Short mmCIF file of all heavy atoms in Angstrom, two decimals:
data_model
loop_
_atom_site.label_atom_id
_atom_site.label_comp_id
_atom_site.label_asym_id
_atom_site.label_seq_id
_atom_site.Cartn_x
_atom_site.Cartn_y
_atom_site.Cartn_z
N GLN A 1 -3.04 28.44 5.19
CA GLN A 1 -4.32 28.84 4.61
C GLN A 1 -4.33 30.31 4.19
O GLN A 1 -5.19 30.73 3.41
CB GLN A 1 -5.48 28.53 5.56
CG GLN A 1 -5.41 29.20 6.90
CD GLN A 1 -6.48 28.64 7.84
OE1 GLN A 1 -7.00 27.55 7.63
NE2 GLN A 1 -6.80 29.38 8.88
N GLU A 2 -3.33 31.10 4.66
CA GLU A 2 -3.22 32.50 4.20
C GLU A 2 -2.92 32.57 2.70
O GLU A 2 -3.28 33.53 2.04
CB GLU A 2 -2.07 33.22 4.93
CG GLU A 2 -2.23 33.30 6.44
CD GLU A 2 -0.91 33.68 7.14
OE1 GLU A 2 0.10 33.96 6.46
OE2 GLU A 2 -0.91 33.67 8.39
N ILE A 3 -2.23 31.54 2.17
CA ILE A 3 -1.83 31.59 0.76
C ILE A 3 -2.52 30.51 -0.07
O ILE A 3 -2.28 30.42 -1.28
CB ILE A 3 -0.29 31.45 0.61
CG1 ILE A 3 0.23 30.20 1.32
CG2 ILE A 3 0.42 32.69 1.11
CD1 ILE A 3 1.66 29.84 0.99
N ALA A 4 -3.35 29.69 0.57
CA ALA A 4 -3.98 28.57 -0.15
C ALA A 4 -5.45 28.87 -0.42
O ALA A 4 -6.15 29.40 0.45
CB ALA A 4 -3.85 27.30 0.67
N GLY A 5 -5.92 28.51 -1.60
CA GLY A 5 -7.34 28.65 -1.91
C GLY A 5 -8.13 27.53 -1.24
O GLY A 5 -7.55 26.58 -0.69
N PRO A 6 -9.47 27.62 -1.28
CA PRO A 6 -10.33 26.62 -0.62
C PRO A 6 -10.04 25.19 -1.08
O PRO A 6 -10.02 24.26 -0.27
CB PRO A 6 -11.74 27.04 -1.00
CG PRO A 6 -11.65 28.44 -1.51
CD PRO A 6 -10.24 28.67 -1.93
N GLU A 7 -9.79 25.00 -2.40
CA GLU A 7 -9.51 23.64 -2.92
C GLU A 7 -8.24 23.08 -2.31
O GLU A 7 -8.16 21.90 -1.96
CB GLU A 7 -9.37 23.68 -4.44
CG GLU A 7 -10.69 23.70 -5.17
CD GLU A 7 -10.49 23.65 -6.68
OE1 GLU A 7 -9.43 23.19 -7.13
OE2 GLU A 7 -11.42 24.08 -7.39
N THR A 8 -7.21 23.93 -2.18
CA THR A 8 -5.93 23.47 -1.63
C THR A 8 -6.09 23.12 -0.15
O THR A 8 -5.55 22.12 0.32
CB THR A 8 -4.85 24.57 -1.81
OG1 THR A 8 -4.85 24.98 -3.18
CG2 THR A 8 -3.48 24.07 -1.44
N VAL A 9 -6.84 23.93 0.56
CA VAL A 9 -7.09 23.65 1.99
C VAL A 9 -7.80 22.30 2.13
O VAL A 9 -7.43 21.48 2.99
CB VAL A 9 -7.93 24.78 2.65
CG1 VAL A 9 -8.37 24.40 4.04
CG2 VAL A 9 -7.10 26.07 2.70
N LEU A 10 -8.76 22.02 1.24
CA LEU A 10 -9.45 20.73 1.27
C LEU A 10 -8.48 19.58 1.00
O LEU A 10 -8.54 18.53 1.64
CB LEU A 10 -10.58 20.71 0.23
CG LEU A 10 -11.88 21.42 0.64
CD1 LEU A 10 -12.86 21.44 -0.52
CD2 LEU A 10 -12.53 20.73 1.84
N ALA A 11 -7.56 19.80 0.05
CA ALA A 11 -6.56 18.76 -0.29
C ALA A 11 -5.67 18.48 0.93
O ALA A 11 -5.35 17.31 1.22
CB ALA A 11 -5.71 19.22 -1.47
N ILE A 12 -5.30 19.53 1.64
CA ILE A 12 -4.44 19.37 2.82
C ILE A 12 -5.20 18.64 3.94
O ILE A 12 -4.65 17.74 4.60
CB ILE A 12 -3.91 20.74 3.29
CG1 ILE A 12 -2.89 21.27 2.27
CG2 ILE A 12 -3.28 20.65 4.68
CD1 ILE A 12 -2.50 22.71 2.45
N LEU A 13 -6.47 18.98 4.12
CA LEU A 13 -7.29 18.30 5.13
C LEU A 13 -7.44 16.82 4.78
O LEU A 13 -7.39 15.95 5.66
CB LEU A 13 -8.67 18.97 5.25
CG LEU A 13 -8.67 20.37 5.87
CD1 LEU A 13 -10.05 21.01 5.76
CD2 LEU A 13 -8.23 20.32 7.33
N TYR A 14 -7.57 16.54 3.48
CA TYR A 14 -7.65 15.16 3.01
C TYR A 14 -6.36 14.40 3.36
O TYR A 14 -6.40 13.28 3.86
CB TYR A 14 -7.91 15.13 1.50
CG TYR A 14 -7.64 13.80 0.85
CD1 TYR A 14 -8.56 12.76 0.95
CD2 TYR A 14 -6.46 13.57 0.15
CE1 TYR A 14 -8.30 11.52 0.36
CE2 TYR A 14 -6.20 12.34 -0.45
CZ TYR A 14 -7.11 11.32 -0.33
OH TYR A 14 -6.85 10.10 -0.91
N LEU A 15 -5.22 15.04 3.11
CA LEU A 15 -3.92 14.42 3.44
C LEU A 15 -3.82 14.12 4.93
O LEU A 15 -3.37 13.04 5.33
CB LEU A 15 -2.77 15.36 3.06
CG LEU A 15 -2.33 15.43 1.61
CD1 LEU A 15 -1.22 16.45 1.46
CD2 LEU A 15 -1.84 14.08 1.12
N MET A 16 -4.24 15.08 5.75
CA MET A 16 -4.15 14.91 7.21
C MET A 16 -5.05 13.76 7.67
O MET A 16 -4.70 13.01 8.58
CB MET A 16 -4.52 16.22 7.92
CG MET A 16 -3.45 17.28 7.77
SD MET A 16 -4.02 18.93 8.25
CE MET A 16 -4.13 18.75 10.03
N HIS A 17 -6.17 13.61 6.97
CA HIS A 17 -7.09 12.52 7.31
C HIS A 17 -6.51 11.17 6.84
O HIS A 17 -6.57 10.18 7.56
CB HIS A 17 -8.45 12.77 6.64
CG HIS A 17 -9.43 11.66 6.86
ND1 HIS A 17 -10.03 11.45 8.09
CD2 HIS A 17 -9.90 10.70 6.03
CE1 HIS A 17 -10.82 10.38 7.99
NE2 HIS A 17 -10.76 9.91 6.76
N GLU A 18 -5.94 11.16 5.63
CA GLU A 18 -5.37 9.94 5.05
C GLU A 18 -4.15 9.45 5.82
O GLU A 18 -3.90 8.26 5.93
CB GLU A 18 -4.93 10.22 3.60
CG GLU A 18 -6.04 10.17 2.59
CD GLU A 18 -6.41 8.74 2.22
OE1 GLU A 18 -5.63 8.06 1.55
OE2 GLU A 18 -7.51 8.31 2.62
N ILE A 19 -3.34 10.41 6.28
CA ILE A 19 -2.08 10.06 6.96
C ILE A 19 -2.08 10.71 8.34
O ILE A 19 -1.54 11.80 8.53
CB ILE A 19 -0.85 10.53 6.15
CG1 ILE A 19 -0.95 10.04 4.70
CG2 ILE A 19 0.46 10.04 6.77
CD1 ILE A 19 0.00 10.70 3.75
N PRO A 20 -2.71 10.05 9.32
CA PRO A 20 -2.70 10.62 10.66
C PRO A 20 -1.26 10.67 11.20
O PRO A 20 -0.38 9.97 10.71
CB PRO A 20 -3.55 9.65 11.48
CG PRO A 20 -3.64 8.41 10.66
CD PRO A 20 -3.43 8.79 9.25
N GLN A 21 -1.05 11.53 12.20
CA GLN A 21 0.30 11.74 12.76
C GLN A 21 1.01 10.41 13.09
O GLN A 21 2.20 10.28 12.88
CB GLN A 21 0.20 12.59 14.02
CG GLN A 21 1.54 13.14 14.46
CD GLN A 21 1.53 14.66 14.48
OE1 GLN A 21 0.52 15.28 14.74
NE2 GLN A 21 2.67 15.25 14.19
N SER A 22 0.23 9.45 13.56
CA SER A 22 0.82 8.16 13.97
C SER A 22 1.44 7.42 12.78
O SER A 22 2.30 6.55 12.96
CB SER A 22 -0.24 7.28 14.62
OG SER A 22 -1.30 7.06 13.70
N GLN A 23 1.00 7.78 11.55
CA GLN A 23 1.53 7.08 10.37
C GLN A 23 2.60 7.89 9.63
O GLN A 23 3.09 7.47 8.59
CB GLN A 23 0.39 6.76 9.40
CG GLN A 23 -0.46 5.58 9.86
CD GLN A 23 -1.63 5.34 8.92
OE1 GLN A 23 -1.54 5.59 7.72
NE2 GLN A 23 -2.73 4.88 9.47
N THR A 24 2.97 9.05 10.17
CA THR A 24 4.03 9.83 9.52
C THR A 24 5.38 9.26 9.95
O THR A 24 5.50 8.61 11.00
CB THR A 24 3.95 11.32 9.89
OG1 THR A 24 4.10 11.46 11.30
CG2 THR A 24 2.63 11.94 9.44
N THR A 25 6.39 9.48 9.14
CA THR A 25 7.75 9.02 9.46
C THR A 25 8.69 10.21 9.31
O THR A 25 9.39 10.31 8.29
CB THR A 25 8.18 7.88 8.52
OG1 THR A 25 7.88 8.28 7.18
CG2 THR A 25 7.47 6.58 8.81
N PRO A 26 8.71 11.15 10.26
CA PRO A 26 9.50 12.38 10.11
C PRO A 26 10.95 12.09 9.73
O PRO A 26 11.59 11.22 10.32
CB PRO A 26 9.41 13.03 11.49
CG PRO A 26 8.14 12.50 12.07
CD PRO A 26 8.01 11.10 11.55
N PHE A 27 11.43 12.82 8.73
CA PHE A 27 12.79 12.60 8.22
C PHE A 27 13.84 12.77 9.31
O PHE A 27 14.86 12.09 9.31
CB PHE A 27 13.06 13.56 7.06
CG PHE A 27 14.37 13.31 6.35
CD1 PHE A 27 14.52 12.21 5.51
CD2 PHE A 27 15.46 14.15 6.55
CE1 PHE A 27 15.74 11.97 4.86
CE2 PHE A 27 16.67 13.91 5.90
CZ PHE A 27 16.80 12.82 5.05
N ILE A 28 13.58 13.68 10.24
CA ILE A 28 14.55 13.94 11.32
C ILE A 28 14.79 12.69 12.16
O ILE A 28 15.82 12.54 12.80
CB ILE A 28 14.09 15.14 12.20
CG1 ILE A 28 15.21 15.68 13.08
CG2 ILE A 28 12.86 14.80 13.03
CD1 ILE A 28 16.31 16.38 12.34
N ARG A 29 13.84 11.74 12.11
CA ARG A 29 14.01 10.50 12.89
C ARG A 29 14.77 9.41 12.13
O ARG A 29 14.95 8.31 12.65
CB ARG A 29 12.63 9.95 13.31
CG ARG A 29 11.94 10.85 14.34
CD ARG A 29 10.85 10.09 15.05
NE ARG A 29 9.85 11.00 15.57
CZ ARG A 29 8.54 10.79 15.57
NH1 ARG A 29 8.06 9.66 15.07
NH2 ARG A 29 7.71 11.68 16.07
N THR A 30 15.17 9.70 10.92
CA THR A 30 16.00 8.75 10.16
C THR A 30 17.24 8.42 10.99
O THR A 30 17.78 9.29 11.66
CB THR A 30 16.45 9.40 8.82
OG1 THR A 30 15.31 9.92 8.17
CG2 THR A 30 17.14 8.40 7.92
N THR A 31 17.68 7.18 10.96
CA THR A 31 18.82 6.79 11.81
C THR A 31 20.09 7.51 11.38
O THR A 31 20.27 7.85 10.21
CB THR A 31 19.07 5.27 11.74
OG1 THR A 31 19.46 4.95 10.40
CG2 THR A 31 17.84 4.46 12.11
N GLU A 32 20.98 7.71 12.34
CA GLU A 32 22.30 8.34 12.09
C GLU A 32 23.08 7.52 11.07
O GLU A 32 23.90 8.06 10.32
CB GLU A 32 23.10 8.41 13.40
CG GLU A 32 22.73 9.59 14.27
CD GLU A 32 23.57 10.84 13.94
OE1 GLU A 32 24.70 10.72 13.47
OE2 GLU A 32 23.05 11.95 14.15
N ARG A 33 22.85 6.22 11.07
CA ARG A 33 23.59 5.34 10.15
C ARG A 33 23.23 5.68 8.70
O ARG A 33 24.06 5.61 7.80
CB ARG A 33 23.23 3.88 10.46
CG ARG A 33 24.18 2.83 9.88
CD ARG A 33 23.86 1.46 10.47
NE ARG A 33 22.45 1.11 10.30
CZ ARG A 33 21.94 0.64 9.16
NH1 ARG A 33 22.70 0.46 8.11
NH2 ARG A 33 20.66 0.35 9.09
N GLU A 34 21.96 6.06 8.50
CA GLU A 34 21.51 6.41 7.15
C GLU A 34 21.92 7.84 6.78
O GLU A 34 22.49 8.07 5.72
CB GLU A 34 19.98 6.30 7.06
CG GLU A 34 19.47 4.90 6.80
CD GLU A 34 17.96 4.93 6.64
OE1 GLU A 34 17.49 5.22 5.52
OE2 GLU A 34 17.24 4.65 7.62
N VAL A 35 21.59 8.79 7.67
CA VAL A 35 21.86 10.21 7.39
C VAL A 35 22.35 10.86 8.68
O VAL A 35 21.71 10.72 9.73
CB VAL A 35 20.58 10.95 6.91
CG1 VAL A 35 20.88 12.39 6.54
CG2 VAL A 35 19.95 10.23 5.72
N SER A 36 23.48 11.57 8.61
CA SER A 36 24.04 12.18 9.82
C SER A 36 23.13 13.29 10.34
O SER A 36 22.35 13.88 9.58
CB SER A 36 25.42 12.76 9.53
OG SER A 36 25.29 13.97 8.79
N LEU A 37 23.24 13.59 11.62
CA LEU A 37 22.41 14.62 12.24
C LEU A 37 22.63 15.97 11.56
O LEU A 37 21.67 16.71 11.29
CB LEU A 37 22.71 14.73 13.75
CG LEU A 37 21.88 15.78 14.50
CD1 LEU A 37 20.39 15.48 14.41
CD2 LEU A 37 22.31 15.88 15.96
N ARG A 38 23.88 16.31 11.24
CA ARG A 38 24.17 17.59 10.57
C ARG A 38 23.43 17.69 9.24
O ARG A 38 22.87 18.73 8.91
CB ARG A 38 25.68 17.70 10.30
CG ARG A 38 26.48 18.06 11.53
CD ARG A 38 27.96 17.91 11.21
NE ARG A 38 28.77 18.33 12.34
CZ ARG A 38 30.08 18.20 12.40
NH1 ARG A 38 30.72 17.64 11.37
NH2 ARG A 38 30.76 18.60 13.45
N ASP A 39 23.44 16.59 8.50
CA ASP A 39 22.74 16.59 7.21
C ASP A 39 21.24 16.71 7.41
O ASP A 39 20.55 17.43 6.68
CB ASP A 39 23.06 15.31 6.42
CG ASP A 39 24.50 15.28 5.91
OD1 ASP A 39 25.20 16.30 6.05
OD2 ASP A 39 24.92 14.24 5.37
N LYS A 40 20.72 15.99 8.41
CA LYS A 40 19.26 16.04 8.67
C LYS A 40 18.82 17.45 9.06
O LYS A 40 17.77 17.92 8.62
CB LYS A 40 18.88 15.04 9.77
CG LYS A 40 18.86 13.60 9.29
CD LYS A 40 18.28 12.64 10.31
CE LYS A 40 19.23 12.40 11.47
NZ LYS A 40 18.79 11.31 12.35
N LEU A 41 19.63 18.13 9.84
CA LEU A 41 19.28 19.50 10.27
C LEU A 41 19.31 20.46 9.07
O LEU A 41 18.43 21.31 8.92
CB LEU A 41 20.22 19.98 11.37
CG LEU A 41 20.08 19.26 12.72
CD1 LEU A 41 21.17 19.67 13.69
CD2 LEU A 41 18.70 19.51 13.35
N PHE A 42 20.32 20.31 8.22
CA PHE A 42 20.43 21.16 7.02
C PHE A 42 19.25 20.91 6.09
O PHE A 42 18.59 21.85 5.61
CB PHE A 42 21.76 20.85 6.31
CG PHE A 42 22.05 21.74 5.12
CD1 PHE A 42 22.15 23.13 5.26
CD2 PHE A 42 22.24 21.20 3.85
CE1 PHE A 42 22.43 23.95 4.16
CE2 PHE A 42 22.53 22.01 2.75
CZ PHE A 42 22.62 23.39 2.91
#
C-alpha cells in the first residue's frame, strides 16, 4: 500500500476476498515430479 493508490488497494482487497487463502495453490507446493525444488526456489 506504500506504492499503490486507493483503487489498486481496493483491487487487491477484492482479490483476497475472491480467493481466500484456502483456495490458493502456492507454486512452492508444486510436486517435485513437475518442478524440482531448486527450480521452485529460484
Side-chain angles (χ1 to χ4, degrees):
Q1 59 190 20
E2 299 165 4
I3 54 168
E7 279 183 22
T8 309
V9 171
L10 281 174
I12 290 168
L13 291 172
Y14 164 78
L15 280 178
M16 288 167 72
H17 176 72
E18 279 282 289
I19 308 166
Q21 194 120 32
S22 59
Q23 284 177 32
T24 60
T25 48
F27 187 74
I28 195 69
R29 291 199 205 141
T30 309
T31 64
E32 278 271 332
R33 196 170 54 80
E34 277 184 83
V35 183
S36 75
L37 180 61
R38 283 170 176 173
D39 290 353
K40 284 189 287 190
L41 291 173
F42 185 60

